[in-house]
Amino acid sequence: MLEGGEVGACVFEKPEPHVDDTLLYDYALFFVATLCDYYEATRDREALLDLWPVAWEQIQIGLRRLDERGIVKEDETWWCFIDWRPELNKQASAQAILLYCLKKGLKLAEAQALTDEMNFLREKIEYVTEAALQHLWDEERGWFISGPAAQVSWASQIWMTLAGVKDRRENGEILERLFDEPSAVRINTPYMYHHLIEALMESGKQDRAIEQMRIYWGGMIGDGADTFWEVYHPEDKAFSPYGKESHQQLLPCLELHAGLFYPKIFGLT
């Protein structure tokens, strides 16, 4: 934990287990989602009770970044990862991640029958959702927008889908239109692409999801990857956030992505 109670973005094992000083808005909130996913998979109540106070604190810290409109505010002290994309405005994605994690927190509170916390979270979920629809949804353009320039990005649409701001049908329509919108800021990492796949699946777009898995993870395999890279931009294969000349020099992504689990999709078996 960092001095302000936030969950740090990075934990190192050597010379002894310790957290570094990196704070990311989204990573800290994902502690809530991770605990919820873990509990739903294992029903490990002891871990839930032990770690719930940490999750609850991340929710409180996340909510403190809301401005008077109920929108996550940006300033020079704030860092939210989302994706390796320099021009990406992250405000809408951050709003959606906060909402996504509030909903995960509600599930955890319900599992413990915490009435006050449940009521609090339901109120905040409604508030954050309404704020997103009022200030970040552009009805005329049909996109969620982000930041002062009203940027349209894949990340914003993906995260608003995962947060359930619109219904399943609308989400599917928004995601399908992304593939034909050249002005929308695209995504660069297997990390963000796996959120795209999940969003497509949840919106009933399984065929499109499998298509993108073949194109993206299959593209890395076609380019000679023996582990999936941290960053892969099919239209700019030399892109790297670390100043390298080739994505093949990037650190291997430690997450196991779809190609490892579904080799038949890529015709590997």
Side-chain angles (χ1 to χ4, degrees):
M1 302 284 287
L2 301 176
E3 289 185 5
E6 307 94 340
V7 171
C10 302
V11 177
F12 300 103
E13 296 182 29
K14 297 179 180 179
E16 59 186 25
H18 65 285
V19 62
D20 78 351
D21 60 356
T22 303
L23 172 60
L24 297 175
Y25 183 79
D26 47 348
Y27 280 27
L29 280 168
F30 283 143
F31 185 89
V32 184
T34 302
L35 179 58
C36 182
D37 291 347
Y38 172 78
Y39 177 72
E40 289 184 335
T42 66
R43 298 300 168 182
D44 184 347
R45 193 164 185 81
E46 182 179 356
L48 170 60
L49 296 176
D50 186 38
L51 296 175
W52 167 250
V54 179
W56 182 247
E57 188 168 15
Q58 304 319 298
I59 289 170
Q60 303 305 313
I61 293 169
L63 287 168
R64 288 204 291 267
R65 284 216 65 86
L66 295 179
D67 63 18
E68 67 281 356
R69 303 171 300 161
I71 299 296
V72 174
K73 57 187 175 184
E74 301 174 293
D75 59 38
E76 66 279 359
T77 69
W78 179 80
W79 191 17
C80 188
F81 174 66
I82 308 299
D83 192 31
W84 282 122
R85 191 84 194 197
E87 70 271 35
L88 175 64
N89 184 279
K90 302 175 180 181
Q91 187 174 47
S93 298
Q95 182 84 7
I97 288 171
L98 174 61
L99 177 58
Y100 176 86
C101 292
L102 287 172
K103 291 181 176 180
K104 294 286 190 176
L106 177 58
K107 290 183 178 181
L108 293 174
E110 289 172 341
Q112 301 170 84
L114 300 174
T115 303
D116 290 344
E117 288 83 350
M118 289 159 55
N119 290 336
F120 175 87
L121 288 164
R122 290 187 184 112
E123 177 184 330
K124 294 303 180 184
I125 287 168
E126 182 178 359
Y127 176 64
V128 173
T129 300
E130 289 179 354
L133 288 170
Q134 181 177 353
H135 300 291
L136 301 179
W137 172 250
D138 187 322
E139 184 68 35
E140 183 177 344
R141 298 167 70 189
W143 298 114
F144 285 101
I145 56 176
S146 187
Q151 182 189 83
V152 175
S153 72
W154 285 48
S156 295
Q157 317 314 312
I158 291 165
W159 272 114
M160 288 293 179
T161 294
L162 292 173
V165 177
K166 294 280 189 176
D167 64 30
R168 191 169 187 258
R169 179 190 59 79
E170 290 176 294
N171 287 335
E173 292 174 355
I174 290 168
L175 293 176
E176 282 289 353
R177 287 192 290 110
L178 269 179
F179 294 94
D180 298 317
E181 180 52 61
S183 66
V185 177
R186 294 180 67 92
I187 54 182
N188 266 345
T189 59
Y191 165 72
M192 193 61 217
Y193 256 88
H194 98 270
H195 290 308
L196 169 64
I197 300 304
E198 182 181 3
L200 288 167
M201 290 287 192
E202 290 191 0
S203 302
K205 301 296 180 179
Q206 287 84 356
D207 289 346
R208 177 70 85 169
I210 292 172
E211 171 198 78
Q212 290 304 302
M213 290 166 71
R214 286 175 172 150
I215 291 171
Y216 191 75
W217 284 278
M220 277 184 277
I221 293 171
D223 283 335
D226 54 12
T227 185
F228 293 123
W229 294 306
E230 181 179 354
V231 172
Y232 181 65
H233 188 347
E235 288 80 37
D236 182 11
K237 295 180 181 180
F239 174 78
S240 166
Y242 302 112
K244 301 292 185 182
E245 294 182 355
S246 169
H247 67 282
Q248 296 185 20
Q249 296 173 294
L250 294 177
L251 299 173
C253 188
L254 296 180
E255 296 172 283
L256 294 177
H257 289 295
L260 296 180
F261 296 111
Y262 304 107
K264 290 183 180 179
I265 291 174
F266 303 105
L268 301 178
T269 59

